[in-house]
Amino acid sequence: MLTYDMSDNGRPLYLQLYEYVKADIDAGRLLPDEKLPSKRTFAKNLGISIITVEKAYDQLMAEGYIYSRPKSGYYVSRLMLPVRESNLLDNRSYRINVPVQTQVDFDFSSNRTLVDDFPFSVWAKVMRETISLREKELLEVPPGGGVRELREAICSHLASFRGMTVNPDQIIVGAGTEYLYGLLIQLLGNDKIYCLENPGYPKIDQIYRSHEVEVAYAGLDDQGIRLDAIRDCNAQIAHISPTHHFPTGITMPISRRYELLSWAGEDKDRYIIEDDYDSEFRLKGRPLPPLFGIDEQEKVIYINTFSKSLTSTIRISYMVLPGHLADRFYKTLSFYSCTVSTFEQYTLSSFIRQGYFEKHINRMRLQFGRRRKKIIAMIRAKFTAEQCRILENDSGLHFLLEFTTDLSDQYVK
Amino acid sequence: MLTYDMSDNGRPLYLQLYEYVKADIDAGRLLPDEKLPSKRTFAKNLGISIITVEKAYDQLMAEGYIYSRPKSGYYVSRLMLPVRESNLLDNRSYRINVPVQTQVDFDFSSNRTLVDDFPFSVWAKVMRETISLREKELLEVPPGGGVRELREAICSHLASFRGMTVNPDQIIVGAGTEYLYGLLIQLLGNDKIYCLENPGYPKIDQIYRSHEVEVAYAGLDDQGIRLDAIRDCNAQIAHISPTHHFPTGITMPISRRYELLSWAGEDKDRYIIEDDYDSEFRLKGRPLPPLFGIDEQEKVIYINTFSKSLTSTIRISYMVLPGHLADRFYKTLSFYSCTVSTFEQYTLSSFIRQGYFEKHINRMRLQFGRRRKKIIAMIRAKFTAEQCRILENDSGLHFLLEFTTDLSDQYVK
């Protein structure tokens, strides 16, 4: 008869018994199909109640360590493999090479925002208000496209900043543009060829490749992506940033825009993804109207993000789909829950509606202009025009530097 | 000579001029390659400053409506298509069929949480504390796997609730399990066959299909998914919920678990995705230890979510990868930004560390038990045992009802 020391060590008796039996099975001291004591006998032997034994047996049964035969009793299960206690996993984990965030003197990375630039106290205030006043809405599951109120706020923003007339139903909110690209692949099909600008923003390429989608490249001339290059690669989808190309800063003129739209109109599967990532920060003149606004054939998908204009640690982006694609989205992809929490969607919505977003944009535009001037002045003071050429474009956040050097770009990187 | 009415209507003069010229080009009143007045003449003619004309011309140039020839002047561009002013888009949008959220008397949907169940005031308090005390951390870009502090909190939670020994580097935080499934497809490959439980949770099927991944089904017996069925469909990946199968409620016994692990061990491409979605809410006994805990071959990926245990309007889920897959994640997918904002990651982290999550789980377990009892009592009072059989399983939130009826399941649905 099994005998265990059921001392009062503060743990429930049934748990102690469960663990004793389990340990004996694990160690092979109790063998497959071996009969266990009846509940009554076991209880008497150990000086505990029948209910305690029953609870221990129930747990062992639920976990498959033992089984019962009607009117016969409890037996040890036949386990496929011996259960070995091990802490191997914890040691093995050290093989994980987590990328280290390097400290640099000059951080020119394009996907970060400066801590001081984010209007933290205003955002915190609006968030506090949201938590206090919106409890009910915060707990309501929003539609797949996002909280209605936020989408309406984005509509007004797009109307006044980008001259776009958009219905809130066309807007899909998601946790970052990277996530939205993934949705778009599902919406447009992973059997299409996606054409990117060369040179271009490397992450877009990584995302398409990671989805095992065929990627092609089209070169640029001084007006942006070349139409003949797009045609050459038989692409259906052109993923471009016409307002401000990264990294050259080229702004695509209106004639090239119409050529692109005309290309897209030639085939029903052709679409243009217009990445408008930093249009808010155009430094001179009014921002250019987006391709989306002159598209009359429902061929342009507009994408923009608040992670760039506010702070990269808030993950809110959105895309504007042409009518028939919005309809397709709700037909085929609306089983997806919106990836942004309602707490942040309502906070951003209030932030825009109360005018804070516009103020922030205006403040940042001045700020970026000053910073840019300062950096350029520093570079000019340090290098001669022969050593280093600055290729400026007024349309946004970045500019190109061309060094006369024998060093390879890999070395500098 | 072009003459426009430059009245003081409160709008900047350069903008008025820009719009006049643009409208004339759009309407064909100014023709391609037509020369525009020089800045000086135009300014004199309209009674405005040269700088104003220059600003208007700059904007028109930037947008490609006009071009300049050195030492000659400004000319109207040759546009591919006539620019037509239209508001068509707004009307077309009404063709979007947005799914309507229907009001029902009894909502048994499995992806919603009751508003009253969420500890709103505590969450709000922790969020307010987070905003006040953590400004610096909130604006720091976290690694792709998520905020370190949250991953550590999840580790302790997993250790005490699920007996799992896990390194924070193995944990990847994401905006919902749906998003994580998409990441897993990228990590494991979309050329694999993914095997699901039949019957099972329909959304998992939708997500795989939406990624155009091959899906196969394996039937169940009373121990859960059948090994012969998995083998029959040549699957590499088995996506299962061994702790509490949806919808049957089956808990996979230990012997079947070892059989599964042994199947996975036969080929290097085989993996098991363990969806542990409601293990916290097991109503009787201790929760079963997860498959992940007895896996010694790095074959099990563990997935769980806070959107189910807290509120579905907060989108935070996580997966625990075996060591070599975590390493692969950082090698191939770490270009992705974490999809959850730092505001919510730090709030959840404090919520867990201050013991609120554990309290909430315990309260909800009682609550769900009571609710379940009440519903079952109501059903028993209304139907005879012949009309309606209740298939109870103690392991979690749901149970099955079997009606004796001629109506099809489609009708009831």
Side-chain angles (χ1 to χ4, degrees):
Chain A
M1 167 66 85
L2 294 168
T3 306
Y4 300 120
D5 172 25
M6 307 298 286
S7 57
D8 183 14
N9 61 5
R11 313 190 60 209
L13 287 173
Y14 88 94
L15 209 60
Q16 292 186 43
L17 181 55
Y18 152 84
E19 279 165 357
Y20 278 130
V21 177
K22 184 167 169 278
D24 277 353
I25 295 174
D26 283 347
R29 286 186 292 269
L30 282 168
L31 294 170
D33 300 322
E34 186 169 337
K35 193 177 191 298
L36 292 166
S38 78
K39 286 185 275 190
R40 181 176 300 266
T41 332
F42 214 179
K44 219 175 153 189
N45 184 44
L46 299 174
I48 54 179
S49 75
I50 294 179
I51 290 174
T52 303
V53 179
E54 194 171 72
K55 274 180 85 173
Y57 276 11
D58 278 356
Q59 184 68 33
L60 288 163
M61 286 239 287
E63 295 187 13
Y65 283 97
I66 65 173
Y67 63 94
S68 75
R69 283 195 201 134
K71 292 184 192 163
S72 166
Y74 296 87
Y75 296 85
V76 176
S77 298
R78 198 167 272 282
L79 303 177
M80 278 279 291
L81 299 172
V83 185
R84 275 163 282 154
E85 293 285 337
S86 94
N87 282 313
L88 270 182
L89 211 53
D90 201 29
N91 295 319
R92 283 188 294 203
S93 317
Y94 295 118
R95 284 200 283 102
I96 306 170
N97 295 303
V98 180
V100 183
Q101 304 201 357
T102 41
Q103 290 296 320
V104 290
D105 290 337
F106 305 98
D107 186 354
F108 290 120
S109 59
S110 57
N111 63 344
R112 290 181 185 228
T113 40
L114 268 187
V115 169
D116 294 343
D117 289 344
F118 180 65
F120 189 88
S121 59
V122 180
W123 182 265
K125 185 195 80 144
V126 176
M127 190 161 234
R128 273 188 220 105
E129 283 169 8
T130 305
I131 301 171
S132 312
L133 304 172
R134 312 294 295 263
E135 172 168 350
K136 197 177 157 293
E137 294 96 320
L138 288 174
L139 298 176
E140 264 165 25
V141 178
V147 163
R148 180 85 188 176
E149 190 181 300
L150 171 60
R151 287 184 287 152
E152 284 169 0
I154 292 173
C155 280
S156 334
H157 168 71
L158 286 176
S160 58
F161 268 70
R162 307 298 277 126
M164 288 164 68
T165 313
V166 163
N167 184 301
D169 287 337
Q170 292 176 268
I171 295 180
I172 311 294
V173 172
T177 43
E178 302 168 6
Y179 171 71
L180 293 176
Y181 296 157
L183 273 188
L184 274 180
I185 293 171
Q186 294 171 61
L187 190 67
L188 303 176
N190 63 9
D191 54 343
K192 307 288 187 296
I193 300 175
Y194 288 72
C195 177
L196 310 184
E197 295 158 323
N198 182 20
Y201 188 53
K203 215 184 237 187
I204 298 172
D205 173 76
Q206 286 177 304
I207 292 166
Y208 283 118
R209 282 179 193 276
S210 182
H211 283 88
E212 310 216 25
V213 156
E214 193 174 341
V215 176
Y217 297 93
L220 315 176
D221 58 22
D222 60 351
Q223 305 208 327
I225 197 163
R226 280 167 32 225
L227 258 294
D228 60 323
I230 297 181
R231 289 187 193 280
D232 281 350
C233 58
N234 288 316
Q236 283 91 18
I237 322 285
H239 188 136
I240 58 173
S241 46
T243 304
H244 187 216
H245 174 260
F246 183 90
T248 65
I250 291 171
T251 299
M252 186 182 284
I254 196 82
S255 52
R256 179 64 55 88
R257 290 176 188 233
Y258 278 111
E259 281 171 38
L260 256 173
L261 288 173
S262 153
W263 164 82
E266 289 167 17
D267 188 289
K268 71 164 184 39
D269 282 341
R270 287 192 186 158
Y271 290 100
I272 296 164
I273 299 174
E274 177 177 31
D275 219 322
D276 203 36
Y277 66 99
D278 73 349
S279 61
E280 285 93 348
F281 296 122
R282 187 179 157 78
L283 300 179
K284 271 195 190 172
R286 291 196 326 158
L288 282 176
L291 207 50
F292 186 96
I294 54 168
D295 167 32
E296 295 187 354
Q297 305 170 90
E298 305 203 350
K299 284 297 188 182
V300 179
I301 295 149
Y302 176 92
I303 293 199
N304 207 337
T305 182
F306 293 99
S307 303
K308 190 141 196 123
S309 45
L310 284 172
T311 159
S312 45
T313 60
I314 290 173
R315 305 305 301 171
I316 311 184
S317 302
Y318 60 95
M319 55 184 176
V320 188
L321 299 174
H324 75 283
L325 283 185
D327 195 50
R328 190 193 297 174
F329 176 86
Y330 281 106
K331 227 174 254 146
T332 62
L333 295 176
S334 67
F335 63 85
Y336 277 118
S337 307
C338 181
T339 41
V340 185
S341 94
T342 50
F343 288 71
E344 304 221 312
Q345 289 194 61
Y346 279 106
T347 302
L348 176 57
S349 165
S350 296
F351 189 83
I352 298 172
R353 290 151 83 101
Q354 292 180 46
Y356 294 122
F357 184 60
E358 191 172 336
K359 266 184 214 154
H360 170 65
I361 291 291
N362 291 332
R363 193 172 65 88
M364 288 321 299
R365 210 183 285 149
L366 285 175
Q367 189 68 258
F368 286 137
R370 269 189 229 118
R371 230 173 263 166
R372 184 188 164 107
K373 242 187 207 156
K374 210 166 158 187
I375 293 172
I376 290 179
M378 283 167 75
I379 294 170
R380 291 222 161 104
K382 189 85 193 156
F383 299 99
T384 66
E386 254 168 45
Q387 288 174 313
C388 170
R389 209 159 66 92
I390 294 169
L391 301 150
E392 265 204 272
N393 271 300
D394 287 328
S395 53
L397 297 185
H398 53 262
F399 57 88
L400 286 183
L401 277 185
E402 207 175 79
F403 285 95
T404 311
T405 171
D406 291 332
L407 296 173
S408 78
D409 53 349
Q410 289 303 320
Y411 175 86
V412 179
K413 200 178 169 193
Chain B
M1 168 65 85
L2 293 169
T3 306
Y4 301 120
D5 173 24
M6 307 298 286
S7 58
D8 182 12
N9 62 4
R11 313 191 59 210
L13 287 173
Y14 90 93
L15 209 58
Q16 292 185 42
L17 180 57
Y18 153 82
E19 278 163 359
Y20 279 130
V21 178
K22 184 168 170 278
D24 276 354
I25 295 174
D26 283 347
R29 286 186 292 271
L30 282 169
L31 294 171
D33 301 321
E34 187 169 338
K35 191 175 192 303
L36 291 167
S38 77
K39 286 184 276 188
R40 178 177 304 265
T41 334
F42 214 179
K44 217 172 154 191
N45 184 45
L46 299 175
I48 56 180
S49 75
I50 295 180
I51 289 175
T52 302
V53 179
E54 193 171 72
K55 273 182 86 174
Y57 276 9
D58 277 355
Q59 184 68 33
L60 288 161
M61 285 240 288
E63 295 185 15
Y65 282 98
I66 65 174
Y67 62 93
S68 75
R69 284 197 201 134
K71 293 182 190 162
S72 165
Y74 295 86
Y75 297 84
V76 176
S77 298
R78 195 166 274 283
L79 302 177
M80 279 278 291
L81 299 171
V83 185
R84 274 161 281 154
E85 291 284 336
S86 95
N87 283 314
L88 270 181
L89 211 53
D90 201 29
N91 294 320
R92 284 187 291 202
S93 317
Y94 295 119
R95 286 199 283 99
I96 307 169
N97 295 302
V98 180
V100 182
Q101 304 202 356
T102 42
Q103 291 295 319
V104 290
D105 291 337
F106 304 97
D107 186 354
F108 290 119
S109 59
S110 56
N111 63 344
R112 287 179 189 231
T113 40
L114 268 186
V115 169
D116 294 343
D117 288 345
F118 179 66
F120 189 88
S121 58
V122 179
W123 182 266
K125 185 194 81 144
V126 177
M127 190 161 235
R128 272 188 221 104
E129 284 168 8
T130 305
I131 301 169
S132 314
L133 305 172
R134 312 294 294 264
E135 171 167 351
K136 195 176 158 293
E137 293 97 318
L138 289 174
L139 298 176
E140 263 165 25
V141 178
V147 163
R148 180 85 188 175
E149 188 181 302
L150 171 60
R151 288 184 287 152
E152 284 169 356
I154 292 173
C155 280
S156 334
H157 168 72
L158 286 176
S160 58
F161 268 70
R162 308 296 279 129
M164 287 163 69
T165 312
V166 163
N167 185 300
D169 287 338
Q170 292 176 270
I171 296 180
I172 311 295
V173 172
T177 43
E178 302 167 5
Y179 171 71
L180 294 176
Y181 296 159
L183 273 189
L184 274 181
I185 293 170
Q186 294 171 61
L187 190 67
L188 303 177
N190 63 8
D191 54 342
K192 307 288 185 297
I193 301 176
Y194 288 72
C195 176
L196 310 183
E197 294 158 323
N198 182 22
Y201 189 53
K203 212 181 239 188
I204 297 172
D205 174 77
Q206 286 176 303
I207 292 166
Y208 283 117
R209 280 179 195 278
S210 182
H211 283 87
E212 310 216 25
V213 156
E214 192 176 340
V215 176
Y217 296 93
L220 314 175
D221 58 22
D222 60 351
Q223 305 210 324
I225 198 163
R226 278 167 33 225
L227 258 294
D228 59 323
I230 297 181
R231 289 187 191 279
D232 281 351
C233 57
N234 288 318
Q236 282 90 17
I237 322 285
H239 188 136
I240 58 172
S241 46
T243 304
H244 188 215
H245 174 258
F246 183 90
T248 65
I250 291 170
T251 299
M252 186 180 285
I254 195 85
S255 52
R256 178 65 53 89
R257 292 176 186 229
Y258 278 110
E259 281 171 38
L260 258 171
L261 288 174
S262 154
W263 163 82
E266 289 166 17
D267 188 290
K268 72 165 184 38
D269 282 341
R270 288 192 186 157
Y271 289 101
I272 297 164
I273 300 174
E274 177 177 32
D275 219 322
D276 203 36
Y277 67 99
D278 73 350
S279 61
E280 285 94 350
F281 297 123
R282 186 179 159 76
L283 301 179
K284 273 193 188 174
R286 290 196 325 161
L288 282 176
L291 206 51
F292 186 95
I294 54 169
D295 167 31
E296 296 186 353
Q297 305 169 90
E298 304 205 350
K299 284 299 186 179
V300 179
I301 294 149
Y302 176 93
I303 292 199
N304 207 337
T305 180
F306 293 99
S307 303
K308 189 138 196 124
S309 45
L310 283 172
T311 161
S312 45
T313 60
I314 290 174
R315 308 303 302 171
I316 311 183
S317 303
Y318 61 94
M319 57 185 175
V320 188
L321 299 174
H324 75 283
L325 284 185
D327 195 51
R328 191 193 297 175
F329 176 88
Y330 281 106
K331 224 173 257 148
T332 63
L333 296 176
S334 67
F335 62 85
Y336 278 118
S337 307
C338 182
T339 42
V340 185
S341 92
T342 50
F343 289 71
E344 305 222 312
Q345 289 194 62
Y346 278 106
T347 302
L348 176 57
S349 166
S350 295
F351 190 83
I352 297 173
R353 289 151 83 100
Q354 292 181 45
Y356 295 122
F357 184 60
E358 189 171 338
K359 269 186 211 152
H360 170 66
I361 292 290
N362 291 331
R363 193 173 67 86
M364 289 319 299
R365 210 183 285 149
L366 284 174
Q367 190 68 260
F368 285 137
R370 271 189 226 117
R371 226 174 264 165
R372 183 189 166 109
K373 244 189 205 155
K374 210 167 158 186
I375 294 173
I376 290 180
M378 283 168 74
I379 295 169
R380 290 223 161 102
K382 190 86 191 156
F383 299 101
T384 66
E386 254 167 45
Q387 288 175 314
C388 169
R389 208 158 68 92
I390 295 168
L391 301 150
E392 267 205 89
N393 271 300
D394 288 327
S395 53
L397 297 184
H398 53 263
F399 56 87
L400 286 182
L401 277 184
E402 205 175 80
F403 284 96
T404 311
T405 172
D406 291 333
L407 297 174
S408 78
D409 55 346
Q410 288 301 319
Y411 176 86
V412 179
K413 200 181 170 189

